[in-house]
Amino acid sequence: MGFWIFMLVMNLLIPITMIGFGKMFMRNSPRAINGIFGYRTANSMKNMDTWQFAHKYFGKRWYKLGWLILLPSILGMIPVIGKDDDIVGIVGSVIITIQCVVLILPIFSTEKALKRTFDKDGKRINKEEWEDE
């Protein structure tokens, strides 16, 4: 049972991280463009406008997806309560692998939104896009 609890806690780390950082990025991006913390890609780091847009857009997706995978992450562990540690480990690992895919997916939509909203120099193309996000 101890290993099951450990795996459940591990399975909750990614959704909770996505919810927490998603909420934080939605409200405000890191104050300065930096290469250490935040949504750091070549497109997002062109200027403060792209930096703030990327964080707000990415934060919304992470926040929503974090909530979306939280319950299935818990429910996926329930059938293996009291099972052999190997089974618990396999199920927990599969859940974490799926979570890692979900964790990465918003990068693609954020980059697409950046390219749709800003030109190659980071100047805004479509003002309405920002207001909708």
Side-chain angles (χ1 to χ4, degrees):
M1 186 68 170
F3 185 64
W4 182 87
I5 293 170
F6 171 78
M7 284 305 295
L8 178 65
V9 170
M10 294 301 103
N11 284 337
L12 296 179
L13 288 178
I14 290 176
I16 290 171
T17 299
M18 289 175 72
I19 292 166
F21 278 100
K23 186 82 162 171
M24 184 176 77
F25 287 159
M26 281 184 343
R27 289 186 176 164
N28 51 13
S29 58
R31 291 188 180 155
I33 298 171
N34 68 81
I36 298 171
F37 178 72
Y39 182 82
R40 304 171 321 271
T41 65
N43 287 330
S44 70
M45 296 173 71
K46 288 186 177 175
N47 58 49
M48 279 307 289
D49 198 15
T50 58
W51 181 252
Q52 291 171 344
F53 175 87
H55 280 84
K56 185 174 182 180
Y57 191 95
F58 185 76
K60 279 184 181 182
R61 270 117 197 104
W62 249 23
Y63 182 76
K64 289 176 184 176
L65 287 170
W67 281 112
L68 186 71
I69 64 172
L70 183 65
L71 187 59
S73 298
I74 296 167
L75 294 176
M77 289 300 291
I78 291 175
V80 296
I81 293 176
K83 302 281 187 198
D84 183 56
D85 285 355
D86 290 340
I87 301 295
V88 172
I90 290 168
V91 170
S93 296
V94 167
I95 292 170
I96 289 172
T97 302
I98 294 167
Q99 290 174 343
C100 286
V101 170
V102 173
L103 179 82
I104 293 168
L105 284 176
I107 293 170
F108 300 105
S109 64
T110 303
E111 288 302 303
K112 187 175 179 180
L114 280 165
K115 288 177 183 174
R116 204 175 49 232
T117 309
F118 298 94
D119 66 15
K120 64 180 176 64
D121 298 319
K123 292 190 172 104
R124 202 173 275 283
I125 297 169
N126 184 353
K127 178 96 173 136
E128 293 78 36
E129 179 80 24
W130 172 252
E131 293 165 357
D132 292 341
E133 298 305 321

